[in-house]
Amino acid sequence: MANHPKSAGWMLDPHIERDTLPVGDLPLCRLRLMNDVNYPWLLLVPRQPNASEIADLDRAGRTQLMTEITETSQALKAITGCDKINVASLGNVVAQLHVHVIARFRSDVAWPKPVWGAVPPHAHSSDTAAKLIAELRRRLALGESSAT
Amino acid sequence: MANHPKSAGWMLDPHIERDTLPVGDLPLCRLRLMNDVNYPWLLLVPRQPNASEIADLDRAGRTQLMTEITETSQALKAITGCDKINVASLGNVVAQLHVHVIARFRSDVAWPKPVWGAVPPHAHSSDTAAKLIAELRRRLALGESSAT
């Protein structure tokens, strides 16, 4: 999927790349895990150049984005048993369109507040990240070759 | 639309009702304006009982939600000339599924942070609210009878 024609000219924003770990490519989005052990926190980044608002995608792209939000939400909920899923497209700092899908627990450090700015990020150990990424890849049927 | 059969048994959460002003009913969602003059801030509330996650809607409902997010985003951007649209479904405090669509400006009181908890809400004057609601209703083709 990394070479889907619509991806031509697209590259992951370097700030997102720095703050996240690779999971794989869904049909529309690059899926990354935020490197913050405070919350199981995914980023969906549509591989479409020059998109910063959801409305910058065409109708088919928006429908596919909703499908990928739903599938990653369900995977995250099934894996973590979280109390709530938070979904958000903000983009005030990083302009490249990206959607946060975050597993929230009543016991987490920021609950019930939103996660942004609540506490400093705390990097995953390689073990916790690898386990979560492996479970996500299995549930979302992502092959080895798409670990980008 | 208020009597759409899928709305049976649904009522607006009283916390949302208290914090917002009526705009109208879209095919899926009740549209409300947050009573906070700090930001032009809409809430989309799907009129479906017992939904708290986006994934609780069926596929057609999710596609319609994405359509209504896009249309309200575009209306808000056209009316306000904002720099960015923020979209979020959080629901850690109010369980009833609702989506925030917020017009953000580089000059607003919270930029670039998310709006939640940034500064206390400041109620609209009846004049600023009425003007914004009238422009939204015109752009979204909402009739007088749907002001709920």
Side-chain angles (χ1 to χ4, degrees):
Chain A
M1 298 290 186
N3 295 317
H4 190 286
K6 281 202 173 174
S7 303
W10 177 89
M11 59 174 289
L12 187 64
D13 178 275
H15 293 92
I16 296 179
E17 185 159 26
R18 184 195 61 196
D19 295 343
T20 61
L21 301 165
V23 181
D25 274 0
L26 296 165
L28 177 67
C29 295
R30 182 144 302 171
L31 183 61
R32 306 276 300 191
L33 176 70
M34 190 71 88
N35 192 9
D36 184 354
V37 79
N38 287 309
Y39 329 89
W41 180 346
L42 300 174
L43 283 192
L44 286 165
V45 191
R47 296 188 305 282
Q48 178 173 308
N50 305 319
S52 66
E53 302 282 3
I54 288 171
D56 292 338
L57 301 176
D58 63 14
R59 180 177 293 270
R62 293 192 301 264
T63 300
Q64 181 61 29
L65 178 60
M66 184 55 99
T67 297
E68 296 182 12
I69 288 169
T70 303
E71 290 174 354
T72 53
S73 296
Q74 290 170 328
L76 208 48
K77 191 149 197 169
I79 292 167
T80 67
C82 62
D83 297 307
K84 190 70 190 73
I85 295 286
N86 289 177
V87 177
S89 170
L90 304 177
N92 304 337
V93 177
V94 171
Q96 183 173 69
L97 176 61
H98 58 286
V99 178
H100 305 264
V101 177
I102 312 162
R104 300 299 308 275
F105 295 84
R106 292 192 185 89
S107 57
D108 73 37
V109 290
W111 183 270
K113 293 181 187 171
V115 299
W116 301 277
V119 298
H122 186 101
H124 275 280
S125 69
S126 58
D127 192 53
T128 59
K131 189 170 171 221
L132 183 49
I133 290 167
E135 291 197 63
L136 285 163
R137 292 172 61 81
R138 187 175 60 79
R139 285 198 175 259
L140 294 167
L142 291 167
E144 281 304 316
S145 62
S146 74
T148 47
Chain B
M1 298 292 186
N3 295 316
H4 190 286
K6 280 202 174 175
S7 302
W10 178 89
M11 58 176 288
L12 187 65
D13 179 275
H15 293 91
I16 296 179
E17 185 159 25
R18 185 194 59 198
D19 295 343
T20 61
L21 300 166
V23 181
D25 274 0
L26 296 164
L28 177 67
C29 295
R30 182 144 303 171
L31 184 61
R32 306 277 299 192
L33 174 70
M34 191 74 88
N35 192 8
D36 184 353
V37 78
N38 287 309
Y39 328 90
W41 179 348
L42 299 174
L43 284 192
L44 286 165
V45 192
R47 295 187 307 281
Q48 178 174 307
N50 306 318
S52 65
E53 302 282 4
I54 289 171
D56 293 337
L57 301 176
D58 63 15
R59 180 177 293 270
R62 293 192 300 266
T63 300
Q64 182 61 27
L65 178 60
M66 184 56 99
T67 297
E68 297 183 10
I69 288 168
T70 303
E71 289 174 354
T72 52
S73 297
Q74 290 171 326
L76 208 49
K77 192 149 197 169
I79 293 167
T80 68
C82 62
D83 297 307
K84 188 73 188 71
I85 294 287
N86 290 176
V87 177
S89 171
L90 305 176
N92 304 337
V93 177
V94 171
Q96 182 173 70
L97 176 61
H98 58 285
V99 178
H100 305 263
V101 177
I102 311 162
R104 301 299 308 275
F105 295 84
R106 293 191 184 90
S107 58
D108 73 38
V109 290
W111 184 271
K113 294 183 187 170
V115 298
W116 301 276
V119 297
H122 186 102
H124 275 280
S125 69
S126 56
D127 193 53
T128 59
K131 188 171 172 222
L132 183 50
I133 289 167
E135 290 196 65
L136 286 163
R137 292 173 60 81
R138 185 175 61 80
R139 285 198 177 260
L140 295 166
L142 289 167
E144 281 303 315
S145 63
S146 75
T148 47

